[in-house]
């Protein structure tokens, strides 16, 4: 019976994350990029604003803390293992499609965050709350769709944002250091509870301190590898670009060849990495202190830039350059597919295992390579738990009211420990399904409210009113968040 259940979940996940979903998401990225007149042009302005404290804006946390919390949820194992999986299954061209997804996804992250701030409210406990559920409820007057989004968010958080991340930490500790998952689970659960029970301000402060550190250390490690492989960096970039649009089998992926596989796995991994269109990051964006919706929308959009355009791209170049530098091949133009298989056999890797492929790349750093990768995975996974917990809190509050949050928190903390000690194949599939079900209503809201996005963008961004403040009475609608169920 369990096998049948897993087969059903696999089929449903394949359907939801098949080509229609990829086309819808990538199509939304392109549509909003054009409709909003390429807000990607303002990415450096966005970075500057993210480092500026909007002390006169309405909100509970600073713009940087909101960005760091969102990055904590998105910069996870997907950036490290996901890119390796995309390359193993879609070939080096998948890195290019992953990068393009990030570049175009900036517009989608901008749009969903703008709507989240525009339709945010003050909850019954005085905090700012917002996200796609409020956009669906007040922007499209579709309360039932908002309730569904919130329910899927709370369920997805238990999977991709909790048990899966805790399992990644305990598995790595066991494989590399031989530490029992029970011990690792206890330690992770203790520190998670310590932070999570402190509320949004504590979560935001921890993320603001942890995210820059973990990203800096990881990127420095990647740059070191690129310096070692400097003669293979440009060939790797050239191979990534040409393979992305190749129709030949010579430079294709392990499972096949050509542009279709590269696009499929590159776009899918990019979407999982930056979550543009998923509707998760806008939930924390709504809590930010900001003068107007467009300022925070720009800050949130910069998260996609750092997550995918920078970190995923660097990871991809590192892995491809390491495969090209494999000592048994003096000819750089020889088949990438053949190199990958030879690397797999020599280092006893599983060719479709992104984690093993990434571990092979970091093995190029003497002595500290694997510990550095471990630090990255530990911190990335732990920060993802913090970020997704905040999303879940807001979703549960929307559905049942603030008093229900404490009961969900207790269950979430227990799930962290359970995720550390149990197998998660079924949980992974269910998490993928709930993530897809989150994205669908959010994308519909983005497309149907695109006129609102265009109006506010033209007024604030292209009308040079980015520093203009919105009055609270104008910005906020209903002052309390009442239970729907």
């Amino acid at each position: 019976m369990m096998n049948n259940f897993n087969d059903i979940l696999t089929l449903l996940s394949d359907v939801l994350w098949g080509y229609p979903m990829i086309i819808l998401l990538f199509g939304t990225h392109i549509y909003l990029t054009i409709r909003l007149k390429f807000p990607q042009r303002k990415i450096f302005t966005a970075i500057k604003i993210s480092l500026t404290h909007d002390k006169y804006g309405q909100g509970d946390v600073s713009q940087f803390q909101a960005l760091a919390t969102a990055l904590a949820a998105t910069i996870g194992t997907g950036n490290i293992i996901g890119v390796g999986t995309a390359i193993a299954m879609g070939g080096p061209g998948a890195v290019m499609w992953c990068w393009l997804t990030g570049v175009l996804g900036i517009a989608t992250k901008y749009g969903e965050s703008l709507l989240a701030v525009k339709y945010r409210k003050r909850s019954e406990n005085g905090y700012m709350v917002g996200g796609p559920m409020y956009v669906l409820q007040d922007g499209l007057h579709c309360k039932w769709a908002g309730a569904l989004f919130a329910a899927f968010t709370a369920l997805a958080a238990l999977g991709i944002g909790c048990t899966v991340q805790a399992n990644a930490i305990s598995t790595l500790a066991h494989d590399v250091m031989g530490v029992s998952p029970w011990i690792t689970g206890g330690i992770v659960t203790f520190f998670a509870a310590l932070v999570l029970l402190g509320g949004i301000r504590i979560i935001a402060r921890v993320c603001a301190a942890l995210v820059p550190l973990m990203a800096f250390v990881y990127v420095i490690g990647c740059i070191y590898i690129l310096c070692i492989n400097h003669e293979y960096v440009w060939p790797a970039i050239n191979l990534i670009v040409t393979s992305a649009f190749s129709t030949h089998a010579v430079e294709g992926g392990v499972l096949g060849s050509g542009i279709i596989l590269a696009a499929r796995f590159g776009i899918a991994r990019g979407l999982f990495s930056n979550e543009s269109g998923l509707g998760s990051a806008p939930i924390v964006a709504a809590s930010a202190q900001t003068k107007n919706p467009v300022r925070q929308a720009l800050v949130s959009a910069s998260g996609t830039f750092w997550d995918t355009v920078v970190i995923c791209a660097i990871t991809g170049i590192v892995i491809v350059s390491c495969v090209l530098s494999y000592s048994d091949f003096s000819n750089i133009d020889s088949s990438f597919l053949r190199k990958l298989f030879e690397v797999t056999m020599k280092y006893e890797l599983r060719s479709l295992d992104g984690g093993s492929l990434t571990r092979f790349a970091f093995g190029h750093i003497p002595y500290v390579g694997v510990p550095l990768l471990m630090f990255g995975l530990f911190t990335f996974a732990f920060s993802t738990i913090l970020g997704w917990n905040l999303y879940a809190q807001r979703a549960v509050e929307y559905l049942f009211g603030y008093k229900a949050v404490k009961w969900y928190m207790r269950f979430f903390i227990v799930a962290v420990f359970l995720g550390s000690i149990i197998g998660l194949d079924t949980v992974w599939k269910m998490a993928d399904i709930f993530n897809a079900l989150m994205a669908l209503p959010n994308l519909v809201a983005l497309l149907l409210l695109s006129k609102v996005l265009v109006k506010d963008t033209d007024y604030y961004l292209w009308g040079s009113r980015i520093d203009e403040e919105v009055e609270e009475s104008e910005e906020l609608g209903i002052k309390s968040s009442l239970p729907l169920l």
Side-chain angles (χ1 to χ4, degrees):
M1 182 178 293
M2 193 63 184
N3 289 335
N4 292 334
F5 180 65
N6 283 330
D7 290 341
I8 293 173
L9 290 179
T10 300
L11 177 62
L12 185 56
S13 178
D14 290 343
V15 170
L16 288 173
W17 283 108
Y19 290 114
M21 172 62 80
I22 291 176
I23 292 171
L24 175 61
L25 275 162
F26 202 65
T28 301
H29 292 348
I30 296 174
Y31 174 77
L32 291 180
T33 293
I34 297 172
R35 190 81 196 274
L36 299 177
K37 303 175 184 177
F38 294 84
Q40 291 90 334
R41 290 181 290 162
K42 293 291 185 177
I43 191 63
F44 293 108
T45 300
I47 295 172
K48 180 180 178 181
I49 294 175
S50 70
L51 300 175
T52 304
H53 183 50
D54 245 352
K55 60 182 179 180
Y56 299 110
Q58 304 295 328
D60 303 311
V61 298
S62 71
Q63 291 180 313
F64 179 75
Q65 287 175 334
L67 172 63
T69 305
L71 281 173
T74 56
I75 299 180
T77 54
N79 298 81
I80 301 177
I81 297 176
V83 175
T85 301
I87 294 172
M89 301 182 73
V95 178
M96 183 66 182
W97 284 103
C98 182
W99 186 81
L100 287 173
T101 300
V103 172
L104 296 173
I106 289 173
T108 300
K109 184 67 70 67
Y110 167 89
E112 60 186 358
S113 298
L114 191 158
L115 293 177
V117 176
K118 187 176 184 66
Y119 291 102
R120 67 182 180 176
K121 311 176 187 305
R122 286 201 180 276
S123 68
E124 60 187 82
N125 66 332
Y127 286 119
M128 286 286 193
V129 293
M133 51 274 203
Y134 294 95
V135 174
L136 290 161
Q137 174 184 304
D138 299 327
L140 294 179
H141 307 289
C142 196
K143 186 180 291 187
W144 65 267
L148 281 178
F149 176 88
F152 294 141
T153 300
L155 292 170
L158 291 172
I160 194 68
C162 177
T163 52
V164 167
Q165 303 300 327
N167 189 265
I169 295 174
S170 64
T171 299
L172 183 66
H174 180 267
D175 292 346
V176 177
M177 297 184 295
V179 180
S180 168
W182 290 80
I183 296 176
T184 305
I187 295 173
V188 173
T189 302
F190 172 77
F191 283 105
L194 199 63
V195 177
L196 296 177
L197 295 177
I200 180 175
R201 289 190 174 94
I202 298 299
I203 293 174
R205 288 173 187 170
V206 172
C207 290
L210 184 60
V211 168
L213 173 64
M214 69 185 193
F216 175 77
V217 172
Y218 179 75
V219 170
I220 288 298
C222 289
I223 292 175
Y224 179 82
I225 296 173
L226 293 178
C227 290
I228 294 176
N229 294 333
H230 63 276
E231 60 182 303
Y232 298 97
V233 171
W234 177 248
I237 295 174
N238 181 64
L239 181 60
I240 287 170
V241 175
T242 56
S243 297
F245 307 101
S246 172
T247 57
H248 299 93
V250 176
E251 299 295 353
V254 174
L255 295 183
S257 62
I259 186 174
I260 294 178
L261 276 177
R264 176 186 174 186
F265 290 104
I267 292 174
R269 289 302 97 194
L271 294 173
F272 272 111
S273 172
N274 60 55
E275 297 181 8
S276 293
L278 193 62
S280 51
I283 296 175
V284 68
S287 299
Q289 293 173 329
T290 183
K291 294 177 181 177
N292 59 67
V294 168
R295 283 179 71 88
Q296 182 55 39
L298 284 172
V299 173
S300 296
S302 70
T304 297
F305 171 80
W306 293 120
D307 178 90
T308 307
V309 179
V310 176
I311 295 180
C312 283
I314 290 177
T315 302
I317 296 172
V318 163
I319 294 175
V320 174
S321 67
C322 286
V323 174
L324 289 181
S325 68
Y326 180 60
S327 59
D328 286 0
F329 292 89
S330 58
N331 180 10
I332 249 180
D333 296 324
S334 63
S335 169
F336 181 86
L337 180 61
R338 185 164 63 94
K339 287 178 183 286
L340 185 55
F341 274 128
E342 290 292 332
V343 167
T344 299
M345 288 187 291
K346 179 175 179 179
Y347 290 92
E348 298 180 351
L349 307 178
R350 289 170 292 173
S351 60
L352 304 185
D353 182 355
S356 296
L357 191 55
T358 309
R359 199 176 304 136
F360 155 75
F362 272 79
H364 282 61
I365 304 180
Y367 307 111
V368 299
V370 173
L372 181 63
L373 179 60
M374 286 179 58
F375 173 81
L377 281 173
F378 273 126
T379 53
F380 285 12
F382 184 76
S383 66
T384 299
I385 293 174
L386 303 183
W388 268 93
N389 177 266
L390 180 60
Y391 300 158
Q393 287 188 49
R394 292 294 183 255
V396 171
E397 181 178 357
Y398 178 84
L399 290 171
F400 305 107
Y402 180 70
K403 292 182 179 179
V405 172
K406 64 179 181 181
W407 296 102
Y408 180 89
M409 289 285 289
R410 293 169 183 172
F411 185 70
F412 187 94
I413 291 171
V414 171
V416 172
F417 181 76
L418 293 177
S420 302
I421 61 175
I422 62 175
L424 292 178
D425 289 343
T426 300
V427 176
W428 260 113
K429 294 171 185 176
M430 294 180 69
D432 287 347
I433 291 170
F434 289 132
N435 281 343
L437 294 175
M438 285 174 61
L440 287 173
N442 181 56
L443 291 172
V444 170
L446 277 170
L447 294 173
L448 295 181
L449 293 174
S450 59
K451 288 185 178 180
V452 176
L453 295 175
V454 171
K455 181 180 178 181
D456 279 17
T457 300
D458 285 345
Y459 181 82
Y460 288 106
L461 187 59
W462 307 127
S464 299
R465 299 182 182 90
I466 198 68
D467 294 321
E468 184 173 313
E469 186 172 358
V470 177
E471 295 294 331
E472 182 174 7
S473 58
E474 177 186 348
E475 178 187 4
L476 303 181
I478 303 172
K479 295 292 181 180
S480 63
S481 174
L482 300 178
L484 295 178
L485 299 176

